[in-house]
Amino acid sequence: MKAVGLDIGTTTISAVVVGIENGHLERAYTIENDSFVKTKYSWEKIQDPEKIVKKVKRLLDEIIEANHDIRVIGLTGQMHGILYADDEGKAVSPLYTWQDERGNQPYLGEKSVCDVLKQRYGIRTYTGYGLVTHLYNAGKGLLPEKAHSIRTIMDYLGMVLTESNNSIIHSSNAASLGLYDMKSGAFLEEIIAKEKAGNIILPDITETLSILGTYKEIPVCVAVGDNQASFIGSVKDAKDSILVNMGTGGQISVYMDNYLEVPGVELRPLAKNKYLLVGSSLCGGRAYAILKNFFQKYAEAAGICNVNHYEIMGRLAEEGIGREDKLKVDTSFSGTRETPEKRGNITNIGIENFTPEALIAGVLEGMAEELYEMYLLVNEKKRKNIHKMIASGNGIRKNICLQNIMSKKFSMVLQMAEYSEEAAYGAAKAGMIAAKEISGLEAIGIEI
């Protein structure tokens, strides 16, 4: 018997086939998610949801055709983004992704939506969060004429697969939209109404891993957030592990069995009365890619092409790590959630250390430092109970030097997650739990 996990990422769509009895990943699939729509605004980052759904269904049908013993389908995908659906559940807007920056654009005079929410209600939220996007659209008269309800892209996929118009969202996705009360497990609908954006139906929230319906007689599980799915897919013992993810962005995730607000990091739902403390660096692994592009542009200007710059950078990084007079690089090149206008910097530049190897090592150490500073915000008592560091994401999986830096920085032995498609694998495990094929205790050491 097998389970399928689907992950709708921003740039790729992934799927895995997992053996239910042994948890073995039998096959992984990755296709391009080339669904971005060009617009006249540089801050607008939108995708075509119907194109995404067609791609996923084509891939899923291929998997089902090759595997006749699939027992459940689990879903996850890029968090924070939203689309609008009509009263029959059909998408009538683009997918406004987590990268969309309208939440920082002028909304009321010179003030952004994020500014207004902070000043009027004391709520800190961020551009790219779905309900921030919704307030901007409502305030600027940008709501589609037939807009009836709000969906995430993975919830929309679940609705299409099960041919249902029921709008159900797991708490892990609901919280990612912003304007969500973690304690009550509900959207802050009163504030949405006060901002004159309450005429759109919000999805019903569930805190349990439940079955939405079936696709070709196969049960489909409610979608979970990709951060939570990655945690489920990477960590085997939630209570004594920290998950470090380095992809386009960077994240640390720590399990909490009680509600705890920590300034500078975000509390996210995992299940009923179970949470993840999450610290996010916006640039993350992209900082290393930016540096690669820097070297590549110079090389091509010098007539040197077809070079594996990452390989060369890896060799040079080993030389730079051992230096005593290191360059200190702040890699917040894309700002932070709290201060989006912040930019990175390079300090401690001297005559002897302004070299490629020192710069490469400095960027890698800066990437690790950003996440470590967030980890230190977790209370000391909790940190003392964490003994395992699990790492996921290609930004660290393919970078041995960064693995060593992270291990030294956190004073823990680093262990790579068993499978590279962590979110899709976690979605498959979530589906198994929903279908009662396995328990949460078996999956990650706690009941969810």
Side-chain angles (χ1 to χ4, degrees):
M1 298 295 107
K2 300 167 186 172
V4 172
L6 299 171
D7 174 23
I8 304 173
T10 311
T11 57
T12 60
I13 296 167
S14 301
V16 296
V17 178
V18 179
I20 290 176
E21 292 185 1
N22 57 15
H24 178 66
L25 193 155
E26 298 190 0
R27 186 168 178 186
Y29 306 76
T30 300
I31 60 175
E32 293 298 316
N33 179 7
D34 54 345
S35 61
F36 271 105
V37 179
K38 291 183 179 181
T39 77
K40 61 182 179 180
Y41 301 112
S42 61
W43 48 260
E44 189 169 44
K45 304 294 189 297
I46 59 176
Q47 293 181 325
D48 181 342
E50 297 299 349
K51 186 174 183 179
I52 292 172
V53 167
K54 286 179 182 178
K55 282 176 169 284
V56 176
K57 285 187 70 176
R58 192 180 304 122
L59 176 59
L60 179 58
D61 288 344
E62 176 188 333
I63 293 170
I64 292 172
E65 181 67 27
N67 299 271
H68 300 291
D69 53 352
I70 294 172
R71 297 292 295 271
V72 69
I73 299 166
L75 309 175
T76 188
Q78 49 177 299
M79 296 167 67
H80 308 301
I82 60 165
L83 59 88
Y84 297 102
D86 63 18
D87 58 2
E88 295 182 352
K90 182 174 177 58
V92 291
S93 78
L95 167 64
Y96 305 91
T97 74
W98 64 276
Q99 295 177 326
D100 192 90
E101 298 176 17
R102 70 192 62 214
N104 285 338
Q105 303 307 308
Y107 164 70
L108 189 63
E110 292 300 312
K111 296 177 182 177
S112 69
V113 173
C114 295
D115 292 335
V116 170
L117 290 173
K118 185 177 180 181
Q119 291 174 12
R120 288 183 178 174
Y121 310 105
I123 295 173
R124 179 176 286 281
T125 189
Y126 309 104
T127 190
Y129 280 29
L131 290 178
V132 172
T133 296
H134 173 57
L135 292 190
Y136 180 91
N137 288 342
K140 294 294 184 179
L142 299 176
L143 293 180
E145 183 180 349
K146 295 184 178 180
H148 177 75
S149 60
I150 283 175
R151 316 284 170 108
T152 70
I153 184 60
M154 50 277 211
D155 292 315
Y156 182 62
L157 172 64
M159 185 203 70
V160 171
L161 291 179
T162 59
E163 297 181 339
S164 168
N165 195 15
N166 292 332
S167 184
I168 299 174
I169 188 170
H170 190 263
S171 55
S172 60
N173 273 326
S176 80
L177 302 185
L179 298 182
Y180 177 86
D181 181 20
M182 197 82 65
K183 289 182 179 179
S184 64
F187 292 115
L188 300 175
E189 295 193 47
E190 184 178 341
I191 291 176
I192 298 170
K194 284 182 178 179
E195 293 302 312
K196 300 179 181 179
N199 57 331
I200 298 293
I201 295 176
L202 298 174
D204 296 324
I205 300 168
T206 179
E207 294 182 301
T208 61
L209 295 173
S210 54
I211 298 299
L212 296 173
T214 61
Y215 178 67
K216 297 187 175 181
E217 300 184 351
I218 303 169
V220 178
C221 176
V222 65
V224 295
D226 60 358
N227 173 218
Q228 291 86 342
S230 291
F231 192 84
I232 295 170
S234 303
V235 170
K236 295 181 179 178
D237 191 342
K239 291 184 178 181
D240 76 343
S241 302
I242 176 176
L243 176 65
V244 176
N245 178 273
M246 193 66 76
T248 304
Q251 285 180 331
I252 57 163
S253 302
V254 178
Y255 169 73
M256 303 292 291
D257 56 10
N258 62 301
Y259 182 91
L260 178 66
E261 292 186 6
V262 179
V265 293
E266 187 179 357
L267 191 68
R268 296 180 177 178
L270 179 63
K272 187 175 179 61
N273 298 323
K274 295 178 173 66
Y275 309 91
L276 295 180
L277 266 178
V278 181
S280 301
S281 58
L282 297 186
C283 208
R286 188 165 36 168
Y288 199 60
I290 290 169
L291 184 61
K292 187 271 291 186
N293 292 340
F294 174 85
F295 289 126
Q296 181 175 330
K297 189 170 184 178
Y298 178 84
E300 290 175 351
I304 303 170
C305 302
N306 301 318
V307 173
N308 188 334
H309 291 278
Y310 281 126
E311 181 181 337
I312 297 170
M313 289 166 66
R315 294 202 308 266
L316 290 173
E318 294 293 345
E319 299 176 24
I321 291 300
R323 299 185 66 106
E324 291 186 6
D325 57 336
K326 296 181 179 180
L327 291 179
K328 298 187 184 301
V329 182
D330 178 346
T331 53
S332 53
F333 303 152
S334 299
T336 66
R337 292 284 192 199
E338 288 72 26
T339 54
E341 70 278 3
K342 182 182 178 184
R343 292 296 176 262
N345 61 71
I346 305 171
T347 59
N348 199 42
I349 300 174
I351 296 173
E352 301 296 332
N353 70 351
F354 194 47
T355 63
E357 60 267 31
L359 181 57
I360 295 166
V363 167
L364 290 174
E365 293 194 345
M367 290 159 58
E369 182 65 25
E370 265 197 283
L371 295 181
Y372 183 66
E373 287 177 2
M374 296 176 195
Y375 177 62
L376 291 180
L377 298 175
V378 179
N379 70 69
E380 185 177 0
K381 182 179 178 181
K382 175 65 180 178
R383 294 202 310 269
K384 285 182 177 179
N385 292 326
I386 296 175
H387 305 102
K388 299 173 186 174
M389 179 165 58
I390 312 300
S392 66
N394 286 335
I396 191 167
R397 187 178 291 275
K398 296 180 179 181
N399 196 320
I400 301 297
C401 191
L402 181 57
Q403 292 177 28
N404 294 333
I405 290 171
M406 294 291 288
S407 180
K408 184 177 180 180
K409 177 69 67 176
F410 284 76
S411 299
M412 296 184 205
V413 175
L414 181 145
Q415 177 184 337
M416 290 305 306
E418 187 172 3
Y419 300 114
S420 59
E421 298 297 344
E422 302 92 353
Y425 184 72
K429 288 175 74 174
M432 291 184 224
I433 295 169
K436 303 191 185 311
E437 297 288 350
I438 62 172
S439 68
L441 202 62
E442 293 172 290
I444 58 171
I446 57 171
E447 289 295 351
I448 56 173

